[in-house]
Amino acid sequence: MSRTARAQAHPNIALIKYWGKRDIPLNLPAVSSLSVTLDSFMTDTTVTTEHADEHDLIVINGSPLTDRPAARVSRFLDLVASPDRPRCRVESHNNFPTAAGLASSASAFGALALATCAAFDQDLDPTRLSLLARQGSGSACRSLWGGWVRWDRGSAADGRDSHGIPVAPRDHWDLSVVVAMVGSGPKPIGSTAGMVRTQETCPLYPGWVSSAEADVAEGQAALLARDLDRLGAAMERSTYKMHATMIATWPPIRYWRPNTVAVLEAIEALRAGGLSAWSTMDAGPNVKVLCRTADVPRVVEAIERTGVAARPLGVGGDARLV
Ligand code: DP6
């Protein structure tokens, strides 16, 4: 009998970053990380079993996936259900730009893990879902929970101790993330390939790995103490360290565009004027600014003065079945 399940998950933005893997097929990270789940931006995914064709049909934002991206989703369905499962139809929508360093793979595999487990009648414990989602895309293991989430590196070879852990609920702290939309095209190099190249060629990489656990501890302590200057500083340090390893990779991985720098400077100028606002970037040119919700209008204005559109987002909730 055919079964359908629909799930929604939000992307998350790392405050303390994941970059580098200790195991590539299992997506086990070389470092722990800490994130905040966003509201408004969302992936909405429906999985239907017993698709009549001999292949899965995967449709993202109205276009069927082919080749490697399609194979990646099919392998994920095999992992969740079993390789001899019935073929499936997967229909997924993002209400924000796909693959532009806005964490679309995190919300995508978070929603897909939840919808697939429900369609195949499996146990829906969030930690188990997080372990599965991680194998689709590392950062997805942090998108099962709303609020503030840590992902431990873990040490087990099979990855059973490497999953998201909720650190503080959504209402812990009234902060916002203002996304400066510098560019929405697909990125020049994907995260997995970028991480592998960094590990293979970057002389700074060992320093990145050896300093990361202290950064997570610092970020978590600042978060629990609701100390924005301290959390923002830890976040910017982690961001610049990660981008330094990317830039010192060969050939270099440089996601920044001129407007990335313009926004960074605008935020520094706000801070010089006494406002606590802090920048971060991921595998893309966009800047995300962490600030108090009451300060959002001033942050939006500062970003827009550089000619870049700004989109304020709040802290989001758990992934959920619809
Ligand atoms: C820079 O989770 O997209 O956004 O595990 O290879 O799918 P894969 O990578 P992905 O990497 C995200 C990297 C980052 C930092 C972060 O989100 O922690």
Side-chain angles (χ1 to χ4, degrees):
M1 194 185 63
S2 166
R3 278 183 62 99
T4 295
R6 178 173 166 208
Q8 295 176 337
H10 296 292
N12 68 77
I13 296 296
L15 309 168
I16 309 295
K17 306 292 181 182
Y18 151 51
W19 194 253
K21 304 192 194 214
R22 66 181 173 88
D23 184 298
I24 294 171
L26 289 174
N27 276 341
L28 294 177
V31 294
S32 303
S33 54
L34 182 70
S35 62
V36 59
T37 299
L38 302 176
D39 69 5
S40 307
F41 283 4
M42 184 171 73
T43 301
D44 185 315
T45 299
T46 301
V47 175
T48 306
T49 65
E50 305 287 2
H51 172 57
D53 210 340
E54 69 183 275
H55 300 289
D56 297 316
L57 175 63
I58 298 134
V59 183
I60 312 277
N61 292 336
S63 306
L65 276 193
T66 54
D67 305 325
R68 282 177 61 184
R72 183 179 177 194
V73 174
S74 288
R75 265 200 316 277
F76 186 75
L77 298 174
D78 292 348
L79 176 82
V80 175
S82 98
D84 54 20
R85 64 183 167 79
R87 298 304 93 187
C88 297
R89 181 185 167 90
V90 176
E91 191 139 3
S92 192
H93 294 275
N94 288 329
N95 67 355
F96 61 101
T98 300
L102 286 171
S104 56
S105 69
S107 50
F109 281 97
L112 186 61
L114 187 52
T116 308
C117 280
F120 283 95
D121 238 340
Q122 311 222 354
D123 163 28
L124 299 178
D125 166 54
T127 299
R128 216 194 107 186
L129 289 167
S130 174
L131 287 165
L132 288 170
R134 187 203 73 225
Q135 294 173 72
S137 178
S139 55
C141 79
R142 302 184 306 229
S143 269
L144 274 307
W145 294 272
W148 310 82
V149 180
R150 195 179 77 233
W151 172 19
D152 284 341
R153 175 192 188 281
S155 55
D158 66 0
R160 66 181 179 276
D161 55 357
S162 189
H163 52 77
I165 297 170
V167 171
R170 183 182 189 179
D171 61 2
H172 168 71
W173 199 0
D174 190 14
L175 295 187
S176 289
V177 174
V178 183
V179 182
M181 304 286 228
V182 172
S184 62
K187 41 194 173 186
I189 180 168
S191 303
T192 305
M195 289 184 205
V196 170
R197 194 192 291 173
T198 305
Q199 291 179 238
E200 285 174 352
T201 70
C202 179
L204 311 183
Y205 181 72
W208 159 253
V209 172
S210 64
S211 59
E213 301 311 306
D215 291 347
V216 171
E218 169 68 8
Q220 180 167 318
L223 166 66
L224 295 177
R226 297 190 188 87
D227 184 337
L228 181 55
D229 288 347
R230 190 176 163 198
L231 179 61
M235 180 182 80
E236 281 204 2
R237 271 203 305 277
S238 175
T239 302
Y240 280 105
K241 254 197 275 182
M242 178 181 75
H243 282 273
T245 69
M246 293 168 167
I247 290 168
T249 287
W250 193 258
I253 303 168
R254 186 178 50 78
Y255 291 110
W256 299 18
R257 306 294 309 143
N259 274 340
T260 307
V261 178
V263 172
L264 292 173
E265 289 185 348
I267 299 309
E268 279 165 22
L270 277 185
R271 223 154 55 219
L275 192 146
S276 190
W278 302 86
S279 300
T280 187
M281 292 89 67
D282 294 290
N286 299 313
V287 181
K288 298 101 182 183
V289 181
L290 185 69
C291 64
R292 291 193 177 83
T293 299
D295 291 330
V296 162
R298 287 181 63 196
V299 171
V300 167
E301 193 200 350
I303 293 169
E304 287 180 343
R305 245 186 281 126
T306 69
V308 172
R311 174 79 196 264
L313 301 167
V315 179
D318 295 348
R320 63 191 186 99
L321 287 170
V322 181

